Amino acid sequence: MTDFSYAVDADGVATITWDTVGKSMNVMNEQGFIDLDALIDKALADDAVKGVILTSGKPDSFAGGMDLNIIAKMKESAGDDPARGLFDGIMATHAILRKIERGGMDDKNKGGKPIACAMQGTALGIGLEIPLACHRIFAADNPKAKIGLPEIMVGIFPGMGGTTRLVRKMGAMAASPLLLEGKLNDPKKAKMAGIVDEVVPADELLAKAKEWVLSEPSIVKPWDEKGYKMPGGAPYHPAGFMTFVGASAMVNGKTKGVYPAAKALLSSVYEGAMVPFDTALKIETRWFTNVLMNPSSANMIRSLFINKEALEKGAVRPDVPDQKVQKVGVIGAGMMGAGIALISALAGIEVVLIDAKQDAADKGKSYTADYMDKGIARKKATEEKKEQVLGLINATTDYDALKGCDLIVEAVFEDVGVKAEVTKKVQAVTGPDCIFATNTSTLPITELAKASKDSSDFIGIHFFSPVDKMMLVEIIKGQQTGDRAVAKALDYVRQIKKTPIVVNDARFFYANRCIIPYINEGIRMVKEGVAPALIENAAKLIGMPLGPLQLVDETSIDLGVKIAKATKAAMGDAYPDGAIDEVLFWMADEGRLGRKSNAGFYDYDDKGKRQLLWDGLAAKYPTAAEQPELHEVQNRLLFAQVLEAVRAIEEDVLMDIREGDVGAILGWGFAPWSGGPLSWLDMVGTPWAAETTNALAEKHGKRFEAPALLQEMAAKNQTFYGRFDPAKAA
Ligand code: NAD
């Protein structure tokens, strides 16, 4: 069965309808290109056909993108020269799209047939690159539709002509944010931006497209006309020159040079703007091939696209019947509980939000009202939607309201006694099928489960702050946690549209276990006299979103003190971080608690805006005359995190390496360009990693010694994805 069908009506308009078999949204695959090419040939060759409409058989969308297997096949097609295979494969695709764009015209732009694209809704990636090759884009007025080129978000860039065409259509300045940030627009905004040509009522979409096709329109693209000038000027024009100075600075400022795709995209735009269109396509192809051959891009696609989606779709879900949540009880309406209530209600789930006092419960609910008001101000929500969402939240102190809940998420104070009391109080009301989840960030799940009636129905669902923004949810299995509890947690996370990882119970679970040593290494270096600016910049230059000192300011220094004290109490003599505590406790004594007190490792102005690093730090911990090499600081910051990820595998906290990578990027922003800590180890090679970290251990202490697993893998020159990839094992 083919994904494309063809019909010619009585007026001589051929309609090519794209309807990918077995998918809710169209996806371009290898056969799809062959079929589309053949149908375009057929329409252009048939004298009875006056013009063509390309549309979708899906009611609300045009196309969602491309099956990335196409890339893999192209790579394999030229034997041991994958770059050649990619280049040739992409050029062949350009030939199809260029055929659409020329519409059968001769060299003098004579003859030819108009080809309109009629999009019912969402058009992403190749799903917009094909329309951009058509002569006119009609979009249905469907406010839910998303239109754009988001490739940069997964480490590539639009390389099927999208970059070259968008820049020529809109100008480099206007196209840059769409290409560099992957910004998506609804149809009306896409029209204002100049991406689509017309927005029409959904039920008139095909009629309007047909009317245009039959109107004998001019179909020559501006860039195929003599004397074409790029909107806003090309790079050698003064206006264009300024664009590129700014864009180049912006890209380097944002990416710190670690994302190959952003640089390649900009080069493609710059170089392509100086040459005729077909040469520009060739340049785009060279850069696209270059990016696709870079391991960073392959890793980002694997973690941020393939594996993230697999986890969201339940790759690690136990085989248990559907556990979709109908009514959730959120206990504790503080910072976390308020956010959990909000995202649950947004997902259409009935919420009972409980706190010890009614005004605290009401305050928690008001977080949702404020969130919706902001949405209304930005025209992303309506008053009706706000009422509907608020109507789902019952803020109360009455535990009886929890009757009928099938999931509880407890987010009260971080205290074993308080949590145990709440667990008992809740379970006096809820039925035997209700799953009890705790949002603790530090307390062992197996321990907390002891207060519960049945520890197989007890689980950790660990949200990150702020709940509405952070995409990761860490699900923690206690020793007795059963499959139904895991399935319930996973189905809930799917309902609230976040990405789950499932880990076993251990100190700090997975994310905090890795991020705390990163913060600690930064503070340790301050104590050693490493310049704080070097520490912070080294972190940024390896692609961490926040330096360790900024991060501890954000999460608060007194929280660091609390965690340090609790860890020391639990570990006794084995506690390794005394040197850090000295700095941390001193900062707390100085009243410098981080952003919340407007004073921390950084200074803040009256409005709370972060300023420079605090110079009082240098007075207490003078900067050493001799500073380490940038690379050494970077390796310390990287290995502090990465070794914990390896230990988490060794200790069976991480059961699936995909979760280790996806969780690291979404949970604490681990250098996304690398694809995650385990992908990074594969990229640099386990032998180099073991040798480098062992050298760090000799200089800086045992914490850097390569764990046995890494040592063993280095000796065998193994990769993590070679040895552990569950996708391959499946
Ligand atoms: P918070 O202090 O803002 O909120 C706790 C709320 O629980 C308060 O409103 C309090 O009145 C209420 N409460 C206390 N005892 C209660 C009881 N017996 N019955 C009903 N309500 C009660 O704390 P938070 O930051 O929202 O943290 C809550 C939980 O989430 C903690 O376990 C914490 O470790 C965890 N957590 C926090 C973060 C974070 O960044 N703040 C991140 C992940 C997990």
Side-chain angles (χ1 to χ4, degrees):
M1 228 192 311
T2 160
D3 291 347
F4 286 87
S5 60
Y6 182 86
V8 182
D9 68 12
D11 298 313
V13 176
T15 301
I16 298 176
T17 307
W18 184 4
D19 196 349
T20 306
V21 180
K23 300 253 182 203
S24 60
M25 214 185 267
N26 290 326
V27 176
M28 184 53 83
N29 52 34
E30 211 185 0
Q31 189 60 40
F33 274 128
I34 296 169
D35 294 344
L36 176 62
D37 189 29
L39 293 178
I40 292 291
D41 278 342
K42 187 169 168 179
L44 294 180
D46 184 350
D47 288 341
V49 170
K50 296 194 181 105
V52 182
I53 299 171
L54 176 60
T55 191
S56 150
K58 311 293 182 196
D60 302 316
S61 61
F62 180 66
M66 192 164 79
D67 178 351
L68 292 172
N69 284 319
I70 293 187
I71 304 282
K73 288 229 174 98
M74 284 178 183
K75 266 187 181 171
E76 287 159 12
S77 67
D80 57 4
D81 191 354
R84 166 56 56 193
L86 279 171
F87 182 83
D88 291 346
I90 298 161
M91 286 305 289
T93 312
H94 283 321
I96 302 170
L97 267 61
R98 195 69 176 124
K99 186 191 292 175
I100 294 176
E101 188 158 57
R102 297 295 300 155
M105 284 182 286
D106 64 17
D107 292 350
K108 300 201 169 55
N109 289 339
K110 291 278 176 296
K113 297 176 184 181
I115 303 180
C117 186
M119 314 195 306
Q120 286 82 346
T122 291
L124 300 173
I126 190 76
L128 182 58
E129 291 184 295
I130 294 172
L132 283 169
C134 295
H135 303 120
R136 198 150 186 89
I137 306 177
F138 291 81
D141 186 6
N142 171 358
K144 287 204 176 131
K146 292 192 169 114
I147 297 174
L149 298 166
E151 284 87 341
I152 200 80
M153 309 297 285
V154 291
I156 53 176
F157 73 91
M160 298 290 183
T163 297
T164 302
R165 286 197 175 85
L166 202 66
V167 166
R168 278 189 162 56
K169 190 168 181 177
M170 307 171 62
M173 181 81 115
S176 288
L178 298 166
L179 296 167
L180 281 168
E181 292 163 25
K183 197 167 175 274
L184 306 181
N185 286 293
D186 64 27
K188 283 205 171 116
K189 287 207 184 110
K191 162 105 172 44
M192 269 193 296
I195 305 167
V196 306
D197 302 304
E198 302 208 27
V199 178
V200 298
D203 55 0
E204 293 173 24
L205 180 67
L206 291 177
K208 291 280 181 200
K210 178 171 169 179
E211 201 179 295
W212 179 84
V213 164
L214 291 175
S215 69
E216 296 182 16
S218 161
I219 59 169
V220 189
K221 286 283 175 75
W223 45 92
D224 282 330
E225 305 251 35
K226 261 212 176 110
Y228 163 74
K229 284 210 170 56
M230 190 181 285
Y236 44 80
H237 180 277
F241 179 73
M242 287 320 290
T243 305
F244 277 88
V245 172
S248 191
M250 185 186 95
V251 166
N252 277 307
K254 280 200 172 164
T255 66
K256 307 286 184 272
V258 288
Y259 292 87
K263 248 187 196 171
L265 167 63
L266 209 56
S267 301
S268 173
V269 172
Y270 184 88
E271 293 164 17
M274 299 196 224
V275 291
F277 186 80
D278 287 302
T279 314
L281 281 182
K282 218 183 247 180
I283 289 172
E284 183 190 290
T285 308
R286 290 226 163 90
W287 279 114
F288 193 41
T289 302
N290 176 296
V291 163
L292 291 172
M293 290 301 294
N294 190 307
S296 159
S297 301
N299 288 353
M300 280 181 81
I301 290 173
R302 185 174 60 197
S303 290
L304 291 172
F305 193 77
I306 300 171
N307 289 344
K308 176 175 170 286
E309 196 175 284
L311 296 176
E312 285 163 0
K313 287 195 170 155
V316 298
R317 188 185 184 280
D319 190 11
V320 169
D322 185 16
Q323 295 292 321
K324 211 179 279 150
V325 175
Q326 309 296 332
K327 182 175 173 185
V328 63
V330 180
I331 322 295
M335 187 166 100
M336 297 304 286
I340 297 166
L342 162 69
I343 50 155
S344 303
L346 280 177
I349 303 171
E350 189 185 344
V351 181
V352 179
L353 179 60
I354 293 213
D355 207 296
K357 296 240 168 66
Q358 186 62 41
D359 55 351
D362 290 340
K363 187 163 172 251
K365 182 170 172 177
S366 71
Y367 184 75
T368 294
D370 293 347
Y371 177 93
M372 297 305 293
D373 284 340
K374 277 186 208 140
I376 293 168
R378 279 188 281 128
K379 298 210 163 30
K380 295 240 156 119
T382 58
E383 285 292 343
E384 297 82 71
K385 180 77 185 166
K386 176 182 165 188
E387 289 314 310
Q388 186 198 339
V389 173
L390 283 174
L392 286 169
I393 305 177
N394 173 12
T396 176
T397 57
D398 179 10
Y399 278 65
D400 273 347
L402 295 172
K403 275 198 186 112
C405 281
D406 51 334
L407 176 70
I408 299 293
V409 182
E410 168 276 301
V412 299
F413 298 141
E414 189 74 338
D415 180 287
V416 180
V418 177
K419 287 193 189 286
E421 191 194 314
V422 164
T423 308
K424 292 207 169 84
K425 244 172 124 178
V426 168
Q427 291 190 337
V429 180
T430 53
D433 287 343
C434 180
I435 298 292
F436 192 103
T438 172
N439 181 45
T440 179
S441 32
T442 55
L443 303 169
I445 304 303
T446 310
E447 206 49 41
L448 295 178
K450 287 182 182 156
S452 141
K453 268 189 189 159
D454 180 352
S455 39
S456 69
D457 287 343
F458 193 97
I459 195 162
I461 301 186
H462 181 210
F463 285 91
F464 295 81
S465 172
V467 178
D468 44 286
K469 293 220 174 73
M470 297 296 286
M471 287 313 295
L472 186 73
V473 178
E474 200 172 16
I475 295 170
I476 305 117
K477 283 169 73 173
Q479 270 164 24
Q480 276 88 34
T481 302
D483 280 354
R484 200 173 68 83
V486 176
K488 186 95 195 169
L490 282 167
D491 291 355
Y492 171 58
V493 172
R494 191 167 183 180
Q495 279 173 279
I496 57 174
K497 296 197 176 71
K498 298 213 180 265
T499 310
I501 61 171
V502 181
V503 301
N504 277 321
D505 197 10
R507 174 173 297 282
F508 300 136
F509 318 132
Y510 175 59
N512 286 343
R513 165 190 194 133
C514 298
I515 196 67
I516 291 171
Y518 168 71
I519 291 175
N520 285 352
E521 203 58 30
I523 300 176
R524 198 187 302 269
M525 286 192 255
V526 170
K527 173 102 193 309
E528 290 170 13
V530 178
L534 174 57
I535 302 167
E536 294 291 270
N537 285 326
K540 294 272 176 71
L541 289 169
I542 48 175
M544 293 299 293
L546 303 183
L549 305 179
Q550 189 186 343
L551 185 56
V552 71
D553 264 11
E554 295 293 334
T555 50
S556 96
I557 285 165
D558 49 332
L559 178 68
V561 168
K562 231 165 137 183
I563 292 175
K565 284 185 176 158
T567 313
K568 195 170 180 176
M571 292 182 78
D573 287 346
Y575 182 66
D577 293 326
I580 298 147
D581 292 355
E582 188 195 305
V583 183
L584 216 50
F585 291 10
W586 172 71
M587 291 286 287
D589 288 346
E590 293 284 305
R592 299 194 72 94
L593 304 181
R595 174 180 288 284
K596 71 177 188 190
S597 68
N598 250 9
F601 285 100
Y602 284 84
D603 284 324
Y604 296 82
D605 70 11
D606 295 345
K607 290 192 185 110
K609 192 161 184 270
R610 192 167 47 84
Q611 307 291 308
L612 297 176
L613 280 152
W614 177 44
D615 54 13
L617 205 55
K620 172 88 175 169
Y621 298 106
T623 308
E626 205 166 313
Q627 290 292 307
E629 291 285 331
L630 173 66
H631 265 98
E632 182 168 327
V633 179
Q634 290 180 319
N635 282 339
R636 285 177 69 173
L637 293 173
L638 273 169
F639 277 106
Q641 306 168 71
V642 164
L643 295 183
E644 280 309 322
V646 175
R647 290 187 191 109
I649 297 175
E650 269 183 335
E651 293 167 21
D652 201 32
V653 173
L654 267 181
M655 293 168 276
D656 184 317
I657 59 166
R658 295 175 294 184
E659 297 181 304
D661 275 347
V662 174
I665 298 176
L666 300 187
W668 75 93
F670 180 89
W673 63 271
S674 68
L678 305 161
S679 288
W680 181 76
L681 283 169
D682 283 358
M683 199 169 5
V684 297
T686 47
W688 179 88
E691 193 186 321
T692 307
T693 197
N694 284 332
L696 286 177
E698 272 183 26
K699 216 167 154 189
H700 300 290
K702 275 171 79 73
R703 66 188 179 284
F704 283 115
E705 270 173 16
L709 175 63
L710 179 60
Q711 201 66 52
E712 182 206 325
M713 289 177 67
K716 297 178 184 158
N717 196 12
Q718 284 178 334
T719 62
F720 281 84
Y721 279 84
R723 178 164 165 164
F724 293 110
D725 189 357
K728 276 192 197 142

